[in-house]
Amino acid sequence: PQYVTRVLTKPTPNSNLQSRRLDVLEINYTARYGYPPRSLDLPVYDSSLTRGTGRPYQFVLGSGDMIPGVDLGLYDMVPGEIRQIDIPPVLGYGVNGSRFWKIPGGMSLFWTVELVSVNEVRVGDVRSREDVESNRV
């Protein structure tokens, strides 16, 4: 299995702010596991839509909060963009799997991720990184 990132949807107009290390991201996602080739029939093991918070999942990109394969796939995204990330076991839960998620060892992961915001910048917000970091409107 190999690592693959595909852009499914790119918003128009595009935001000027692309995600980078240490940005605070909010994402909606659905995470599946299984053997390639990818199929939507694979079991879902986690989803921001079923976590019960009613909000996107928030984390700091590159901080180690996410498994490495997900982290890698979220760089240079813009708010509103949707990506499919195919993650081999070496960048996922490895040969041991995940007891918490009940994922057997050696499984590939398949994440569909929508970037909701980067540092609170959402779809349609055309501020630059400099504007956001200096708190300019």
Side-chain angles (χ1 to χ4, degrees):
Q2 62 185 32
Y3 184 81
V4 178
T5 302
R6 288 182 296 286
V7 175
L8 303 180
T9 303
K10 197 112 172 172
T12 307
N14 243 353
S15 169
N16 291 323
L17 191 62
Q18 289 186 313
S19 59
R20 66 181 187 192
R21 187 172 184 275
L22 301 181
D23 280 341
V24 177
L25 305 186
E26 286 185 306
I27 61 171
N28 285 321
Y29 66 90
T30 300
R32 301 174 186 276
Y33 69 92
Y35 293 109
R38 185 179 62 82
S39 167
L40 293 178
D41 296 334
L42 294 173
V44 172
Y45 73 89
D46 191 17
S47 174
S48 61
L49 305 175
T50 59
R51 284 185 156 239
T53 64
R55 298 193 38 85
Y57 181 70
Q58 186 179 71
F59 70 102
V60 176
L61 184 60
S63 67
D65 287 348
M66 298 295 256
I67 58 173
V70 174
D71 229 29
L72 286 171
L74 300 180
Y75 282 89
D76 300 321
M77 284 184 81
V78 296
E81 184 175 336
I82 300 174
R83 289 186 182 175
Q84 173 67 46
I85 308 169
D86 297 359
I87 305 165
V90 68
L91 293 173
Y93 294 113
V95 295
N96 296 323
S98 169
R99 223 187 301 177
F100 179 81
W101 295 112
K102 298 182 173 107
I103 297 174
M107 290 286 167
S108 292
L109 307 177
F110 304 94
W111 281 57
T112 304
V113 181
E114 173 193 16
L115 182 59
V116 175
S117 72
V118 177
N119 300 329
E120 299 183 4
V121 172
R122 299 180 182 283
V123 174
D125 189 331
V126 295
R127 289 179 293 165
S128 68
R129 181 169 294 278
E130 293 75 30
D131 290 341
V132 171
E133 290 175 354
S134 68
N135 293 318
R136 286 183 275 185
V137 179

